[in-house]
Each structure stands twice: as structure tokens, then as C-alpha cells.
Amino acid sequence: MNLSMRWLADYVKADVPIKEYCHALTMSGSKVECYETEGKDISNVVVGKILSVVPHENSDHLVVCQVEVGREAPIQIVTGASNVNAGDIVPVALDGSALPGGIKIKKGKLRGVESNGMLCSLGELGLDVRDFPYAIEDGIFIMQEDCQIGQDIQSAIGLNDTSVEFEITSNRPDCLSVTGLARETAATFDLPLTVPEPSFKGVEGDISSMLKVDIHDPEHCPRYCAGIVKNVKIGPSPRWMRERLRASGVRPINNFVDITNYVMLEYGQPMHAFDLRYVEGSHINVRKAKAGETIMTLDGVDRELTEDMLVIADEKKPVAVAGVMGGEYSGIMDDTTTVVFESAYFEPTQVRRTSKALRLKSDASARYEKGVDPTISMTCLKRAFQLVEELGAGEVLDTVIDCGHSNFQPSKVEFDPQWINEFLGTDISEDQMKEYLGRLGFTFEGSSVVAPSFRIDIECKADIAEEVARIYGYNNIPSTDFRGVARAEFTEEQKFVRALRNAAVALGGYEIATYSFVSPKYFDKIKLPENSPLRKVVRIVNPLGEDTSVMRTSTLPSMLDVLSFNYNNRNESACLFEIAKEYLPVEEKRNYQGDEAFLVSSGQPRHEYEYQLPDEPQRLTIGMYGGNADFYALKGMVEQLLAELHISGYEYIRAKDSDAFDEKYALHPGRSAVILRDGVALGFLGEIHPDVQENYEIGVKTYAAKLNIPELMAAAQDKITYSPLPKFPATTRDLSLLVDDEVPVAELEKAIRSAVGKILEKVTLFDVYKGAQIESGKKSVSYSISMRSHDGTLTDEQADSAVKKALKALSAVGAELRG
């Protein structure tokens, strides 16, 4: 809803800065989206008077004008327009001016003759002939307005109104009107509200001799009001009406159409005007459509009606779809002489169903769907007739038709100030509450508060409390904790996951989020064995398609999918991570009925089985390619993550030697590892198998890791123990060992750590050599062993003894001291 501030001033004088107005209305419950001042893109454009027009000496189609613009001397402007003459009043864009669309005007020369500005057309000012019907579409805007030479063009032509755009929620249809927002403004600022009761004089005449109205469906049309205007004069609306419509986002058309739009914007009540000559039998019937009936609506589309749709019909055919749109031949035309004005209440649900079925939306249907004031139909009809008389657009009959089957009862709610204060957590006096509600149009009967007819959303005490709260000021209500609810805190798992996420981001990872629903084809793409437990999945009962038909049991395919998408969109490198769940079905449970056993997976009707939800463990999945990505970069990232979580004492084994993860088949057999701690698998990492890379159309080496978050939590240290700085020096020994090429260096390091014991400070691998001086099938591995005691300086005997123990342990795994 766009609100013209100039129009608003007719009802309430809110003399405050526009920003303050927008903030206050938003805080009182009428959310402001933005505001805009007309003509803000126009600057340094003034009213000018053409003093003379002479032909251009170097052009057949250009003329040179001397123009008075309110300065000491006239200015010279060259133009190609053919409709300018001496004495014309025109808009003049001076040197340095700006026009809509970012156009800047500078002085210059045209065919050798100096031009100090530009004469403007309507289009160059962002207007058209509907805004000023007397002007021409192509040519300079020759003004007929009452204005002063040198006056800014915005004020001269009324292009300076400020329009405020409101986001009106569906429960407040009363605010889809100027008077509704005026009520909110008056209540917010505690200002007087003036909405005069409309009236018209009319000419003598009996409407019953010219028109008959019957309501055949009072349930969906409780009230229908109609009146007649004869000797109609179709023409443009006055400037003030055109300005207000334009500021409200509605283009002017002609006086009668503009009147119906004006009343709809003013009161929120849609109206329609019929040409009486197209109402056959001069008889309006509000009824349900008949089977097979059709209507061509005002948008020129033939629409087939159904028997549950409400229509406005004459004696032979529908002439309008009730509450939605009129028929093509019911509208006002240039030769119309007698007009029927309609103002009715149509039941919201019926209008919505019809609009949706016909796929036809209009301003009228949008308002009727939300609900209009059921008592305002006659008021709006009177207002329309008042405007007809003010505009001199015709003669209004002084009698009207009011078919009323409405038994409207205002909503009454118990008024309980104590309950309201307890509900809001406030201490507002009863008199203050009544004053707030009075501002909003509520009245009181005994212990009840009565909602005004336009507040169709009021149903219970909480609604009354909301009205009190928003006028009192939400920002004035003290903050309190929910009663009976403990203060919210992160669980231990949430804290752990946040720490894990922060660490992954700090290491250069970008977080992604993928769907939990995947395709069964994912398992083949990562070379998962046919008998793998990961192929046992939870299937979706009503999937969107085959590609989202099962719950994933591994997050690796999702990560590879995203890496593939990035690679094929020419991202040269990527380092991504995701914290997400896997869905692992639990063992099938039987539900015995008689002597027959039924299995959950047998495909029988759901009610015959006992179902159990799957396990949903969280996983951290990492994927990378390009740039500096390699096996060791991934391993370093994983180790730093484990260090941040205070996890130590883990070891690596070849992925192909472990049965902990069936995803190992997606990894390169010689460049992948499983992470173990005390026999528990924490995760895996490695290079993606070339065949899998090909399946995902990734053309560079790709690396991935998956860490089991529940196992990481169990392995993480809750308490950190700090050791004092060493007081005694360390002793270092170097060992060069000869060992079979198949023996992992990690196994050698494990043997050293176990043998040396608590005086071991650090084991560093500094060389692995295979070459001519080493026999085939062997390798040379060199370690630096740092030892330190906290009880005193280690002696050579203690250090040598520890080394001997290490050599003995190493010999057990086939390693010997290299000579």
C-alpha cells in the first residue's frame, strides 16, 4: 500500500519529519518498507516562457528560442520540437540540470548555435498524457498550470508529493486504505482524526424505475448497494485527483474510473461502474454461475465459469465476476451516458477460490480476499456520488438501492486489564489501556471491549493485548525470561561442533550445505561394494524424484558432487567442508501378528509394522582440489583440527588394511589412510580414486576426508593440563635404520615411543632413503630422538639405555641399525 502524505493530511495533521513518521508507524505495527518523493531525480528544471521562436540558420528542422526563466536576462535554447510558439509556458532544464534516468543537461552548441539548456517533454519528466491529458505525447509539454516563471517544475505541476510504502499483513486489511492508515497515524501520534461523513445532493428520480437488484446468494453476498448517474460526462479527472492516484501507484484513466479507484484507495472498498445500456433488462442478479457460462473479462480474456463461482449478471448473462473483475462490455466508454455504481460486500473465501480458479488477480480481489469492512458499502457509494458532483461528471439520482441481508455483529472480547498486564509483563493502568483502545476506534460495553467494524481480525483477549502493546510501545515493555523455561544454552555437542566449524574456517575451508536426500546411483559413483551396509538406506515415501529418493548413508558423494560443480564451473581451486548428518538404518524390528512375522522392509502397509528411526551421526567432510591441495595438505589440515580439539594419541593405518569405512573404495589404495585411536576409527583421508574422479568429471587430483564427530567428542580432552617449562636440558640421539620397504614408518615410530617411555620428548623423522647403496626391497629410515627428564639432567648411561630398548623394540618389527 502506497500512502500519499498529501492525501493523508486531509484526515490527520502529522507534521513530523518523514523518517520519524516511518519509524513511529513501524514501531506501532504498520511496517514501512520505504518512502519516495516524486521528482527526486529532477533538479534545476524550472518554468519558462518562450519569448520568441526563429528558424535555425544552419538547419531546416531546428529552431532557436529565447526563453524567460526568472533571471535578469532570457536564455537561448535550440530545439527540434515543432509545437513551440512564442508565449508558451514550458518546462526548462537549465545548464547542469538532471532528469529521470540519470540524464544530465549541459550547455553546448547545436549546428554552431549556442544552446543553454533544453525544453522538456512529458516523457523526459517521467510523466505521460494520463498525468496531463491536455498535453501531447510527442512534443514539448506546453503547460496550462497556474504557476510562476522561474518556479521549480516539481511544485509547479504537483510532482513533489511523498509516498510511503507499507507492508500490510493479511490480518490488517483495514490498513489497505488511506483512512485506515490515517487512523493508525492518529493513534500512533495521539492526534485528532477527521474523516467526514460523505453526502451528495442528487437530482430527483426513482431508481426503482430504472434498475432492479436481487441477491440470490446472501451467504456470499450479504449486502449490495447500487446507484445511478445519468447525463454522464466522460473526461479527465482534475489535477488534484490525478496527483493523488499517481502518488498511490495508480495511473489516471478518466473521471469515472478514477472515482472508483479513488474511493477504493480512500476507504479500502472496491467499487465497480457499469454502463447501464449493457445491463439487459436493467436487472442485476447476484447469483452463482450456471454450468457452461463464460465471460470475457476487462483484460480481454474469455473465461469459463463454474457453478461455485459468484457472478453479477443481468437477465441473460454474467456481466462481472463478483469481487474479481468486470466483464468487457460492462466498463465505461467514451459514449456512455448512464452509469450504475456498485458497492457490495463479498465473502472473502469465495472471492479467493474464484480468483485462484480463474488465475485472475486484481486490486479488488486482493482486498476482498483479505476482508473489507462489512458495514461500509453505502458510505463508499455516497462518497463516489459526492465526487461525481464535485467533478461535475453527471447527475446523481437521489435514491439508491440497498439490498441488505447482513446481520453484522461487532466482535466483543472480555476486557481484563490484569490479564493483559500479566500477559505482556507490563504495569499499565486500566484508564491508560482504555485510552489506547479508544484511539484505535474500540468502544466498551460493561466488561467487554467492542471492536470497530473494520477490525475483522479481533477475536480474543490476546488480540486486545496486542493493540495495547503496540500503542504503549513494544520498546517500552521490559525484557523478561519465559516462565517455566530454563535459560537456553548450547549443548556439549553444539559447543563441540561450533569449535570444529570455527577451526575448519580458520584453516581456509569454505562451508557448504547439501541435501540429505540423494540418489541410489551415488553408491555406484563411489565404487561402493554391492554388499556394503551403506547400501541399506531409508527410502522416502513420496520423493520428488529418483535423484532424491533415499536418505544418504555417506556424506562423501555429496561433497564430490559440489567439488565437481565447482570444477566444471571453472573454479581453479576449492577447499570445502560440511558438517552434516548421515542416516543409518537400525536393525529391522518384527511385529508379530498371530503366527506370521512381518518385516519392516517387506513393503507391506505401514500400520502393520513397528518402525524405528535411523541413527543420525554427524560427520565433518572435507574436500579439496587445485592450488596447493595434495595428500599432505589434507593430512596437515586434519591434524590441526584434531590439535584444536585436543585429541592426541591417534595413529594412521592404510585404508586398504581397514574395514572401518566402505568409502575406502572411493580412495586411491596407496594414498589413503584411516585414523585410529585406541582401536576406534575417527575418520579417513586420502586422494580420490582416478575412476571415481572420472565418474564425477573432475579433471585434477582431488582429496577428501571424513571425520566421525561422535567419536571425536569421545576422544577430545575435556580438561587441558599444562606442563611447566623444562628446567633441565634435552639429550638427542639419531638412529638410522634398515627395514623392509613394506613396513610403515609409523610402525617404527610407535615402537620407539613405546620403548623409550616417559623420558621421550619428541621423535622426528628426518630422512627416508632408497637407492644404490640400499639393497632391493629395503629402505633407510632416520630418526632424531629427543629425551628429557623433569627430575634432573639425563646421563649418557640413561640415554644409551633408552636407545638400546628402542633398538630391541625395533628389531621386533624387522628393523636393524644401519651400519
Side-chain angles (χ1 to χ4, degrees):
M1 175 69 190
N2 293 339
L3 174 65
S4 160
M5 295 302 289
R6 190 175 293 161
W7 197 347
L8 175 70
D10 285 355
Y11 310 108
V12 59
K13 305 296 183 183
D15 189 16
V16 295
I18 188 62
K19 289 186 178 181
E20 182 181 335
Y21 175 82
C22 293
H23 174 73
L25 265 290
T26 298
M27 293 302 294
S28 67
S30 303
K31 182 184 176 185
V32 173
E33 286 290 304
C34 61
Y35 70 88
E36 184 174 5
T37 300
E38 292 179 317
K40 63 182 177 60
D41 297 331
I42 300 174
S43 64
N44 206 22
V45 179
V46 301
V47 177
K49 181 178 181 179
I50 298 177
L51 302 177
S52 65
V53 180
V54 298
H56 192 293
E57 59 187 17
N58 299 321
S59 173
D60 294 334
H61 68 278
L62 296 176
V63 294
V64 181
C65 304
Q66 299 299 320
V67 185
E68 181 184 353
V69 292
R71 297 181 178 179
E72 292 183 0
I75 63 173
Q76 179 173 284
I77 294 178
V78 178
T79 181
S82 60
N83 68 317
V84 293
N85 297 285
D88 287 345
I89 305 299
V90 295
V92 180
L94 303 174
D95 178 34
S97 61
L99 295 173
I103 299 173
K104 304 292 183 183
I105 305 300
K106 298 289 185 182
K107 67 180 180 180
K109 290 187 177 182
L110 292 176
R111 296 284 183 93
V113 176
E114 183 178 284
S115 180
N116 294 299
M118 183 179 78
L119 307 183
C120 298
S121 66
L122 279 175
E124 286 159 341
L125 296 175
L127 304 169
D128 61 34
V129 292
R130 287 177 293 184
D131 297 302
F132 291 91
Y134 61 78
I136 62 174
E137 192 78 47
D138 299 318
I140 301 303
F141 177 25
I142 309 302
M143 300 169 56
Q144 298 178 10
E145 310 303 308
D146 185 13
C147 52
Q148 301 295 320
I149 304 302
Q151 183 180 354
D152 283 342
I153 196 67
Q154 291 98 321
S155 61
I157 62 175
L159 194 63
N160 57 354
D161 196 359
T162 297
S163 177
V164 179
E165 181 182 347
F166 288 86
E167 178 188 334
I168 306 301
T169 54
S170 58
N171 67 320
R172 291 299 308 276
D174 59 298
C175 290
L176 288 171
S177 64
V178 177
T179 54
L181 291 172
R183 281 191 294 265
E184 291 296 307
T185 301
T188 300
F189 292 99
D190 194 13
L191 297 171
L193 174 69
T194 304
V195 182
E197 183 67 25
S199 62
F200 66 97
K201 296 179 180 178
V203 296
E204 186 176 351
D206 183 8
I207 193 172
S208 61
S209 64
M210 300 179 67
L211 182 69
K212 181 181 179 182
V213 176
D214 285 313
I215 299 176
H216 302 278
D217 189 355
E219 179 184 355
H220 294 121
C221 179
R223 191 177 189 187
Y224 191 99
C225 301
I228 288 180
V229 180
K230 61 183 184 179
N231 297 326
V232 165
K233 300 174 185 177
I234 304 298
S237 301
R239 174 178 147 180
W240 63 266
M241 180 176 284
R242 300 196 307 268
E243 287 178 2
R244 293 185 177 187
L245 292 175
R246 184 179 64 227
S248 301
V250 177
R251 281 294 186 184
I253 297 176
N254 61 50
N255 48 5
F256 274 85
V257 175
D258 291 351
I259 285 171
T260 59
N261 286 332
Y262 190 92
V263 174
M264 180 182 70
L265 292 170
E266 189 172 33
Y267 286 93
Q269 166 75 56
M271 296 188 68
H272 191 66
F274 298 97
D275 190 330
L276 182 60
R277 61 184 165 173
Y278 293 113
V279 181
E280 294 196 44
S282 298
H283 186 186
I284 289 177
N285 293 278
V286 185
R287 60 171 173 82
K288 288 293 180 67
K290 299 175 183 177
E293 280 190 318
T294 61
I295 185 173
M296 180 178 286
T297 46
L298 285 171
D299 57 357
V301 178
D302 277 315
R303 302 183 186 275
E304 185 176 350
L305 304 173
T306 59
E307 293 178 330
D308 59 346
M309 295 178 180
L310 191 69
V311 297
I312 311 300
D314 56 24
E315 290 187 344
K316 293 184 177 180
K317 65 185 183 304
V319 295
V321 182
V324 181
M325 186 176 286
E328 183 180 29
Y329 298 107
S330 70
I332 306 302
M333 302 181 185
D334 291 340
D335 60 346
T336 297
T337 59
T338 306
V339 171
V340 178
F341 272 93
E342 164 196 284
S343 180
Y345 178 82
F346 299 115
E347 194 273 325
T349 304
Q350 190 276 333
V351 174
R352 174 169 175 76
R353 287 174 179 167
T354 301
S355 175
K356 187 176 181 180
L358 294 176
R359 297 182 179 179
L360 181 60
K361 295 287 290 185
S362 64
D363 285 339
S365 67
R367 284 172 164 79
Y368 275 125
E369 286 176 13
K370 296 177 177 65
V372 300
D373 186 344
T375 68
I376 206 173
S377 299
M378 183 54 69
T379 301
C380 293
L381 186 65
K382 290 180 180 179
R383 176 57 171 156
F385 288 161
Q386 183 182 41
L387 290 171
V388 169
E389 291 184 338
E390 286 181 10
L391 272 55
E395 298 176 356
V396 182
L397 291 189
D398 59 1
T399 56
V400 296
I401 294 175
D402 186 1
C403 288
H405 297 268
S406 173
N407 187 24
F408 173 76
Q409 295 295 326
S411 176
K412 293 183 181 181
V413 179
E414 180 188 355
F415 180 57
D416 188 343
Q418 181 179 351
W419 183 91
I420 291 175
N421 276 323
E422 291 177 355
F423 182 71
L424 298 177
T426 55
D427 186 19
I428 306 172
S429 68
E430 180 178 344
D431 290 341
Q432 200 172 358
M433 289 183 188
K434 288 184 175 180
E435 193 263 329
Y436 293 156
L437 293 171
R439 289 194 215 169
L440 294 167
F442 290 81
T443 57
F444 296 87
E445 289 184 8
S447 61
S448 297
V449 57
V450 182
S453 59
F454 52 82
R455 290 304 303 274
I456 61 175
D457 58 309
I458 302 300
E459 296 178 350
C460 60
K461 289 194 293 185
D463 294 331
I464 301 300
E466 179 185 1
E467 299 303 301
V468 171
R470 66 191 187 90
I471 302 302
Y472 176 70
Y474 294 122
N475 54 322
N476 295 323
I477 299 176
S479 299
T480 56
D481 293 332
F482 288 111
R483 293 186 296 272
V485 178
R487 185 178 295 276
E489 294 182 357
F490 288 118
T491 64
E492 292 304 316
E493 181 180 12
Q494 289 172 328
K495 293 177 184 177
F496 186 85
V497 169
R498 285 168 68 90
L500 192 59
R501 176 180 288 111
N502 292 339
V505 171
L507 290 168
Y510 287 85
E511 187 172 12
I512 63 171
T514 60
Y515 290 114
S516 299
F517 304 158
V518 298
S519 167
K521 297 176 182 178
Y522 273 23
F523 302 133
D524 296 328
K525 293 180 75 171
I526 63 171
K527 300 180 64 175
L528 205 63
E530 291 296 330
N531 61 349
S532 171
L534 296 181
R535 286 185 179 268
K536 296 179 181 178
V537 296
V538 176
R539 296 190 177 275
I540 308 301
V541 174
N542 56 341
L544 296 175
E546 178 66 17
D547 289 343
T548 55
S549 61
V550 300
M551 303 293 287
R552 64 181 171 198
T553 54
S554 172
T555 54
L556 181 61
S558 300
M559 174 58 71
L560 292 175
D561 232 11
V562 177
L563 291 174
S564 172
F565 178 82
N566 278 269
Y567 176 79
N568 287 288
N569 279 274
R570 301 189 178 184
N571 285 335
E572 295 180 356
S573 62
C575 179
L576 311 175
F577 76 92
E578 179 181 26
I579 298 175
K581 291 181 178 180
E582 294 177 341
Y583 300 85
L584 309 177
V586 297
E587 292 184 4
E588 296 170 334
K589 301 188 74 175
R590 296 176 182 266
N591 180 22
Y592 291 90
Q593 298 183 358
D595 296 329
E596 185 177 5
F598 295 91
L599 288 177
V600 170
S601 62
S602 64
Q604 298 296 320
R606 180 184 179 96
H607 65 274
E608 296 180 354
Y609 307 110
E610 180 180 351
Y611 281 81
Q612 190 163 345
L613 294 174
D615 289 334
E616 300 180 19
Q618 289 203 89
R619 309 299 192 206
L620 168 66
T621 314
I622 302 171
M624 61 174 64
Y625 70 80
N628 298 321
D630 59 20
F631 178 85
Y632 296 104
L634 178 63
K635 180 172 176 284
M637 185 175 182
V638 170
E639 289 181 344
Q640 187 59 39
L641 284 171
L642 297 179
E644 290 291 329
L645 300 174
H646 308 292
I647 298 175
S648 58
Y650 54 86
E651 59 180 327
Y652 298 96
I653 64 170
R654 293 188 182 96
K656 66 180 183 179
D657 297 334
S658 172
D659 294 327
F661 298 97
D662 279 359
E663 292 105 325
K664 67 181 180 181
Y665 298 101
L667 304 177
H668 192 294
R671 300 168 190 167
S672 55
V674 170
I675 309 168
L676 295 177
R677 185 179 186 276
D678 297 334
V680 176
L682 301 182
F684 66 80
L685 64 121
E687 181 182 324
I688 298 300
H689 195 288
D691 293 344
V692 176
Q693 281 184 206
E694 185 176 348
N695 290 341
Y696 282 92
E697 299 180 348
I698 305 176
V700 295
K701 288 185 177 181
T702 306
Y703 305 88
K706 187 179 86 170
L707 301 178
N708 296 342
I709 292 180
E711 286 79 1
L712 293 181
M713 282 189 66
Q717 294 184 26
D718 294 334
K719 296 181 180 180
I720 309 304
T721 302
Y722 292 92
S723 300
L725 294 173
K727 298 180 180 179
F728 305 102
T731 300
T732 304
R733 295 286 189 273
D734 292 343
L735 294 179
S736 290
L737 305 170
L738 196 64
V739 67
D740 289 341
D741 195 20
E742 293 298 320
V743 177
V745 294
E747 192 170 339
L748 302 178
E749 182 177 330
K750 184 177 180 181
I752 293 172
R753 289 185 178 278
S754 176
V756 175
K758 65 179 183 179
I759 66 170
L760 178 68
E761 186 173 65
K762 184 167 59 174
V763 179
T764 305
L765 173 70
F766 65 86
D767 183 57
V768 177
Y769 174 73
K770 290 185 286 187
Q773 299 177 6
I774 304 297
E775 64 180 282
S776 178
K778 299 283 187 178
K779 61 184 175 185
S780 173
V781 182
S782 299
Y783 286 99
S784 175
I785 304 173
S786 177
M787 296 169 285
R788 191 194 304 267
S789 172
H790 292 283
D791 299 326
T793 302
L794 285 178
T795 63
D796 289 341
E797 290 79 8
Q798 289 174 308
D800 292 340
S801 175
V803 170
K804 287 178 181 179
K805 292 179 182 178
L807 291 173
K808 184 177 180 180
L810 288 166
S811 66
V813 296
E816 59 183 27
L817 194 63
R818 182 181 171 189

